[in-house]
């Protein structure tokens, strides 16, 4: 049977079909739906871990114990998990271990666009790159087999366009799901230097074997074709689909195992052409390896090293590359009409979002806000303008300490804001550091009791697991008190008067304090009664809270509430200078 | 089907573009065609621009529609039609829901919602079909069926596809209790004046 699946659904299906016995992840676009889909196959134990490092370590334990295991994360998550990754590369595994890295060229929903293929040569482990959903599924099987055969973790590297594009997938019956028996093997799994050195030698042998395997691995595929100028195109991942669309007749070498690459196969293939062009998204990762092999390939100067490729940029790049060798080719003319200039439609905090009022107050108090990653990062957008920095998950709290050390006189203005999921991901150690190293910054935990940004995943503070079972909930107050924070206050973020009073007091105090702003995500509670406006004087104060349900009627210059969007949260009512908002009818 | 057909659906988060694209894909698969689709939803759960691309053909490689290559642009909102109209081929068709949803910069007074969207678009493209999809959906019994009204309009410009295929696709993608409303919404879109 063939069905239309996203790459993420296909990878989940692969986990099901190829006998995966344990799955773990921390959510992150564009990887999140993999685990959500694995959770629909009830026979696979799967879980959200508090962060990517923990998820990978859970996976490593499972694989060492003997289960086929999959761990998934977004590209920057691999940085968090890099420590265990670079050493499980030494120990190898018993059951197959696949790490899915979902990269985000074009930064559709990420803070950077690093090219994670480099983790392959860095950790000396194989990297597989599918070009569509069918391959994404099959490569889960190949990765598990390679992992077990060569005793190595394997990276399955996808990008947003693979993760979130749908194409046809053939479904097969699952193989039997059994874990291999466990037995102790300290020399292999205890990485003290003496044992580590032995494994280091093993890695070199393994690399050789993988290199030989790559030469005949069917995912490195030569597609014959004809092109009058003797051009051959080497490509990988989603770029392959653009190449096929742009130059359907051209000879292609599609590299599917992008570490280690099949050097002999490539060298022999390249012999047949006057011009070999490398078409790859992001860094010149393959290109640089081919150059190091002495192949005079054409590549990056002619294709952008950032953002996503497209059929048109591939056509233009190939044309420019060949022109540099004095070869002229015709490409379809693209007479794209100039776009109209339309006002942007940036993503916004939802109507009723409990984060909104907090940023409104922080702006009023002229706080220096050390920000973090989550829905609340949208508090940086106008009119709230409420965030000074955002680097990576967890950096708000530790960053606030650094700011305070650099500018002690600023200490009473510095506030770190962090979401509940992000606090548990990597905020706790930063707070420990504030207490330990004499910081006085105020930390606000914006507890909407869910990982909202990535689509509402549970975490250790929500009381439920990925498999739907009830779970104990982290007690934030007890946790931060245990770290040594003496001042802990809980506020209702919709009550902006209270938020303001508490923030003022805690910012002024010369010791660490934590404010827990608690209110569930507005998308997870039933719509309350929308507000109505009476006798609006047109003061526009409510517009300053930046709510999509509120606008000024251009004709009457009065505020209007969109009753289909308004949740009745009342933040606007609290800032209105003339008290014009009332609860509406049903 | 010899040539690949490119259909771009654009709207605002929460308007149901993805369900619409699933219905469309179902129809295409039913005809035995190859399909590739790509979805990009902005950062927030709601309120950002959303774009879904559907490519249908004998063999489709790329999931992406290039600028100037869309055969049909289905815009769920006026400003989004304006933003994406350059993706349409010169001989393409645009279907526009006449609904307006002001983005935050407009609400906050930092930008203005263009006044002349429909005229500007009509001056630029071969075929522009403007429909009051929201009111048609409301008349059919549920404003949330706006997306299905627009699928009805789309069906009317894809005459090669038999009507039963659309009905099957509705049945497969819409929960049973909403099926009747959605059938009505689809019919209203299919038959509406333009
Ligand atoms: C290392 C890393 N992993 C995952 C992500 C993706 N991501 C961005 S924000 C976020 C969590 C947001 O949840 P929370 O802190 O509870 O804030 P909310 O969105 O609910 O306001 C995640 C998982 C990331 N940016 N970096």
């Amino acid at each position: 049977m063939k069905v239309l699946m996203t790459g993420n659904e296909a990878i989940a299906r692969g986990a099901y079909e190829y006998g995966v016995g344990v799955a773990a992840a921390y959510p992150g676009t564009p990887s999140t739906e993999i685990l959500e889909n694995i959770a629909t196959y009830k026979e696979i134990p799967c879980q959200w871990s508090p962060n990517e490092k923990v998820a990978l370590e859970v996976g490593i334990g499972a694989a060492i114990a003997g289960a086929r295991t999959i761990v998934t994360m977004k590209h920057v998550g691999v940085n968090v998990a890099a420590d265990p990754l670079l050493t499980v590369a030494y120990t190898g595994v018993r059951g197959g271990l696949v790490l899915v890295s979902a990269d985000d060229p074009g930064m559709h929903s990420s803070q950077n666009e690093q090219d994670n293929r480099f983790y392959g040569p860095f950790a000396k482990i194989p990297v597989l790159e599918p070009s569509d959903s069918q391959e994404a599924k099959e490569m889960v099987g190949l990765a598990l087999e390679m992992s077990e055969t060569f005793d190595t973790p394997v990276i399955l590297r996808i990008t947003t366009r693979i993760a979130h594009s749908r194409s046809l997938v053939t479904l097969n019956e699952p193989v039997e799901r059994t874990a291999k028996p466990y037995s102790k093997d300290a020399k292999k799994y205890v990485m003290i230097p003496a044992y580590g050195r032995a494994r280091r030698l093993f890695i070199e042998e393994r690399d050789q074997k993988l290199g030989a395997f790559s030469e005949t691995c069917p995912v490195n595929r030569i597609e014959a074709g004809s092109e009058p100028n003797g051009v051959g195109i080497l490509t990988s991942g989603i770029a392959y689909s653009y190449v096929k669309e742009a130059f359907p007749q051209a000879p292609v070498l599609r590299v599917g195992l992008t570490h280690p690459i099949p050097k002999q196969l490539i060298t022999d293939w390249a012999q047949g052409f006057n011009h070999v062009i490398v078409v790859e998204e992001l860094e010149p990762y393959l290109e640089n390896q081919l150059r190091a092999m002495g192949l005079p390939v054409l590549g990056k100067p002619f294709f952008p090293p950032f953002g996503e490729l497209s059929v048109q940029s591939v056509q233009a790049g190939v044309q420019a590359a060949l022109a540099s060798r004095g070869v002229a080719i015709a490409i379809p003319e693209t007479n794209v009409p100039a776009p109209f200039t339309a006002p942007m439609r940036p993503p916004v905090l939802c109507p009723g979002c409990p984060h909104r009022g907090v940023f409104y107050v922080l702006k009023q108090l002229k706080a220096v806000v050390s920000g973090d990653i989550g829905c609340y990062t949208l508090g940086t957008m106008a009119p709230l303008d409420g965030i000074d920095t955002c680097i990576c998950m967890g950096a708000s709290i530790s960053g606030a300490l650094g700011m305070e050390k650099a500018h002690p006189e600023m200490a009473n203005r510095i506030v770190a804001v962090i979401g509940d999921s992000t606090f548990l991901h990597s905020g706790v150690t930063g707070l420990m550091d504030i207490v330990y190293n004499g910081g006085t910054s105020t930390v606000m935990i914006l507890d909407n009791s869910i990982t909202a940004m990535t689509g509402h995943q549970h975490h250790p503070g929500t009381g439920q697991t990925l498999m739907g079972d009830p779970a104990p909930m982290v007690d934030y107050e007890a946790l931060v008190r245990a770290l040594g924070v003496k001042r802990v206050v809980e506020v209702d973020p919709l009550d902006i008067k209270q938020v303001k009073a508490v923030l003022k007091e805690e910012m002024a105090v010369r010791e660490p304090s934590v404010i827990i702003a608690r209110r569930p995500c507005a998308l997870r509670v039933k719509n309350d009664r929308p507000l109505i406006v009476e006798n609006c004087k047109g003061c526009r104060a409510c517009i300053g809270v930046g709510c999509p349900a509120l606008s000024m009627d251009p004709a009457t210059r009065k505020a209007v509430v969109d009753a289909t969007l308004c949740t009745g949260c009342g933040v606007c009512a609290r800032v209105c200078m003339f008290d014009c908002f009332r609860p509406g009818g049903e | 089907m010899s040539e690949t057909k490119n259909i771009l659906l654009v709207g605002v988060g929460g308007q149901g573009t993805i369900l619409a694209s699933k219905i469309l894909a179902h129809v295409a698969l039913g005809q035995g065609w190859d399909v590739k689709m790509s979805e990009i939803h902005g950062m927030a759960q709601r309120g950002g621009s959303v774009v879904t691309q559907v490519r249908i053909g004998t063999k489709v490689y790329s999931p992406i529609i290039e600028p100037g290559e869309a055969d049909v642009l289905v815009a769920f909102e006026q400003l989004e039609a304006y933003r994406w109209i350059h993706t349409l081929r010169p001989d393409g068709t645009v279907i526009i829901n006449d609904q307006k949803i002001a983005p935050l910069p407009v609400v906050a007074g930092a930008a203005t919602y263009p006044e002349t969207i429909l005229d500007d678009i009509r001056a630029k493209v071969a075929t522009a079909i403007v429909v009051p999809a929201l009111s048609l959906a409301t008349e059919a019994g549920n404003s949330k069926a706006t997306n299905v009204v627009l699928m009805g309009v789309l069906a009317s410009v894809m005459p090669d596809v038999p009507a039963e295929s659309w009905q099957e696709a509705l049945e497969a993608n819409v929960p049973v209790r909403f099926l009747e409303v959605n059938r009505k919404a689809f019919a209203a879109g299919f038959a509406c004046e333009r």
Side-chain angles (χ1 to χ4, degrees):
Chain A
M1 186 168 90
K2 278 192 177 185
V3 294
L4 208 52
M5 282 185 158
T6 62
N8 284 350
E9 289 165 355
I11 290 171
R13 178 73 197 188
Y16 170 69
E17 288 183 8
Y18 298 109
V20 162
V22 175
Y26 182 72
T29 315
S31 71
T32 312
E33 300 85 2
I34 303 174
L35 260 268
E36 290 178 331
N37 278 284
I38 289 180
T40 64
Y41 302 104
K42 293 296 170 211
E43 44 282 87
I44 306 177
C46 58
Q47 64 166 65
W48 294 126
S49 292
N51 68 31
E52 292 86 351
K53 178 175 185 289
V54 174
L56 181 56
E57 289 157 352
V58 169
I60 290 170
I64 289 176
R68 286 194 154 190
T69 302
I70 192 167
V71 180
T72 71
M73 55 194 65
K74 73 183 281 154
H75 59 334
V76 288
V78 181
N79 303 337
V80 177
D83 195 8
L85 180 64
L86 272 86
T87 299
V88 72
Y90 280 53
T91 63
V93 293
R94 197 181 318 259
L97 175 61
V98 184
L99 170 65
V100 180
S101 167
D103 294 13
D104 190 16
M107 294 189 263
H108 292 285
S109 26
S110 305
Q111 64 267 41
N112 77 17
E113 62 173 4
Q114 64 187 50
D115 187 334
N116 273 8
R117 293 179 297 176
F118 287 104
Y119 272 109
F122 188 31
K124 295 186 179 258
I125 59 177
V127 177
L128 288 163
E129 278 187 82
S131 295
D132 61 22
S133 298
Q134 175 70 31
E135 268 197 335
K137 187 194 84 165
E138 288 170 0
M139 281 185 177
V140 173
L142 175 61
L144 288 165
E145 249 166 57
M146 287 176 66
S147 176
E148 289 170 359
T149 309
F150 295 99
D151 194 11
T152 178
V154 176
I155 292 178
L156 178 60
R157 189 257 190 177
I158 58 172
T159 54
T160 301
R161 294 294 178 183
I162 299 293
H164 287 171
S165 292
R166 289 174 196 275
S167 57
L168 286 168
V169 176
T170 307
L171 305 187
N172 295 322
E173 287 304 311
V175 301
E176 207 189 329
R177 213 173 304 280
T178 46
K180 294 180 182 167
Y182 177 73
S183 60
K184 181 170 170 176
D185 187 351
K187 286 198 169 138
K188 185 166 186 294
Y189 293 113
V190 181
M191 284 300 94
I192 54 171
Y195 298 161
R197 276 180 219 117
R199 295 302 294 178
R200 180 70 189 83
L201 295 180
F202 163 79
I203 288 182
E204 291 309 303
E205 285 166 29
R206 183 177 72 196
D207 227 23
Q208 296 281 321
K209 287 187 187 146
L210 281 165
F213 172 80
S214 187
E215 300 294 345
T216 56
C217 182
V219 298
N220 296 326
R221 188 171 72 226
I222 291 175
E223 295 180 8
S226 68
E227 198 285 329
N229 302 294
V231 173
I233 301 179
L234 186 140
T235 185
S236 74
I238 192 70
Y240 165 79
S241 73
Y242 303 145
V243 167
K244 292 299 282 187
E245 198 82 42
F247 300 101
Q249 310 302 333
V252 166
L253 174 48
R254 204 298 303 267
V255 189
L257 180 54
T258 46
H259 186 76
I261 56 169
K263 290 187 177 165
Q264 195 58 50
L265 180 82
I266 293 172
T267 310
D268 294 345
W269 172 80
Q271 298 291 309
F273 302 102
N274 302 329
H275 312 284
V276 170
I277 304 181
V278 183
V279 181
E280 59 188 322
E281 216 162 55
L282 296 185
E283 302 294 329
Y285 164 87
L286 295 168
E287 182 186 336
N288 287 349
Q289 295 185 57
L290 302 197
R291 284 189 200 282
M293 285 156 54
L295 296 175
V297 296
L298 293 162
K300 266 314 161 187
F302 306 105
F303 303 91
F306 51 83
E308 296 189 286
L309 294 179
S310 67
V311 176
Q312 288 174 1
S313 68
V314 168
Q315 285 166 338
V318 167
Q319 187 183 48
L322 290 175
S324 76
R325 295 252 175 103
V327 178
I329 62 159
I331 57 172
E333 227 177 283
T334 53
N335 46 1
V336 182
F340 288 122
T341 30
M344 299 264 288
R345 192 184 295 279
V348 285
L349 293 174
C350 300
C353 176
H355 300 328
R356 174 172 287 108
V358 169
F359 290 100
Y360 184 82
V361 172
L362 286 167
K363 185 180 182 182
Q364 280 191 325
L365 295 177
K366 301 202 166 52
V368 174
V369 178
S370 182
D372 222 301
I373 306 197
C375 286
Y376 51 95
T377 316
L378 295 170
T380 193
M381 310 297 284
L384 292 168
D385 294 318
I387 298 182
D388 288 57
T389 61
C390 167
I391 309 294
C392 68
M393 292 189 71
S396 57
I397 303 182
S398 24
L401 178 61
M403 284 181 154
E404 182 179 344
K405 297 277 172 186
H407 273 296
E409 80 288 355
M410 237 163 55
N412 61 356
R413 290 174 53 210
I414 298 172
V415 178
V417 289
I418 187 165
D420 46 337
S421 186
T422 304
F423 181 65
L424 296 175
H425 178 280
S426 47
V428 181
T429 41
L431 186 57
M432 199 184 295
D433 198 20
I434 288 198
V435 174
Y436 177 50
N437 283 306
T440 69
S441 293
T442 302
V443 173
M444 284 198 89
I445 301 174
L446 306 182
D447 177 16
N448 59 1
S449 303
I450 204 73
T451 317
M453 169 113 263
T454 43
H456 297 138
Q457 291 75 34
H458 284 281
H459 63 65
T462 66
Q464 198 183 308
T465 68
L466 172 59
M467 299 184 76
D469 299 321
M473 285 161 75
V474 170
D475 178 340
Y476 298 101
E477 180 173 347
L479 172 61
V480 305
R481 283 198 192 281
L483 295 175
V485 178
K486 298 209 173 62
R487 301 182 65 93
V488 189
V489 203
E490 191 178 316
V491 296
D492 176 356
L494 295 187
D495 184 349
I496 57 177
K497 284 213 178 75
Q498 185 200 15
V499 171
K500 191 169 177 179
V502 169
L503 255 174
K504 263 186 166 165
E505 183 174 341
E506 297 309 321
M507 285 163 74
V509 165
R510 309 296 286 168
E511 66 173 289
S513 48
V514 170
I515 303 171
I516 302 168
R518 183 167 289 153
R519 172 66 72 161
C521 170
L523 296 181
R524 288 170 56 81
V525 286
K526 209 179 136 22
N527 243 25
D528 286 318
R529 288 157 64 192
L531 301 180
I532 51 173
V533 200
E534 284 173 2
N535 307 321
C536 172
K537 307 276 188 296
C539 75
R540 295 184 63 91
C542 58
I543 299 300
V545 305
C547 177
L550 272 175
S551 56
M552 295 301 285
D553 183 324
T556 63
R557 307 205 169 177
K558 288 181 194 296
V560 281
V561 175
D562 181 337
T564 64
L565 293 176
C566 178
T567 67
C569 80
V571 168
C572 54
R574 290 186 166 95
V575 307
C576 176
M577 299 203 276
F578 301 96
D579 200 16
C580 298
F581 289 89
R582 301 269 172 278
E586 283 308 280
Chain B
M1 170 172 265
S2 56
E3 290 234 318
T4 300
K5 213 166 172 59
N6 297 324
I7 301 168
L8 192 72
L9 302 123
V10 300
V12 179
Q15 282 195 302
T17 47
I18 291 188
L19 176 68
S21 67
K22 281 188 177 161
I23 293 172
L24 175 56
H26 194 105
V27 165
L29 289 175
Q31 313 305 304
W33 296 327
D34 191 16
V35 176
K36 285 239 162 105
M37 280 167 67
S38 183
E39 296 152 12
I40 293 291
H41 13 116
M43 279 219 305
Q45 292 286 313
R46 276 193 192 166
S49 291
V50 284
V51 179
T52 300
Q53 328 204 10
V54 184
R55 306 192 69 226
I56 302 169
T58 320
K59 171 75 194 160
V60 182
Y61 285 102
S62 166
I64 310 298
I65 301 172
E66 305 288 318
E69 297 283 325
D71 296 282
V72 184
L73 171 66
V74 185
F76 286 49
E77 195 270 349
Q78 286 200 30
L79 182 59
E80 295 311 305
Y82 204 59
R83 190 187 314 287
W84 293 101
I85 196 72
H86 65 282
T87 57
L88 198 65
R89 296 162 60 99
D91 57 350
T93 299
V94 59
I95 297 168
I96 306 175
N97 173 18
D98 70 0
Q99 196 182 347
K100 291 183 182 179
I101 303 175
L104 201 61
V106 168
V107 173
T112 43
Y113 197 103
E115 302 265 305
T116 55
I117 290 182
L118 296 178
D119 291 342
D120 290 355
I121 289 178
R122 285 199 180 99
K124 201 160 178 168
V125 306
T127 315
I129 302 172
V130 181
V131 290
L134 177 61
S135 15
L136 290 174
T138 313
E139 278 164 33
N142 192 336
S143 61
K144 291 220 164 75
T146 306
N147 52 359
V148 173
V149 171
L150 291 167
M151 287 302 96
V153 185
L154 178 62
S156 72
V157 303
M158 293 176 73
D160 332 350
V161 179
E164 309 86 72
S165 299
W166 289 96
Q167 291 306 325
E168 273 168 36
L170 281 182
E171 277 162 34
N173 288 285
V174 173
V176 183
R177 65 204 154 98
F178 296 127
L179 200 54
E180 210 32 58
V181 169
N182 279 284
R183 283 211 181 101
K184 274 194 203 158
F186 183 87
F190 191 85
C192 80
E193 271 183 57
R194 39 205 74 183

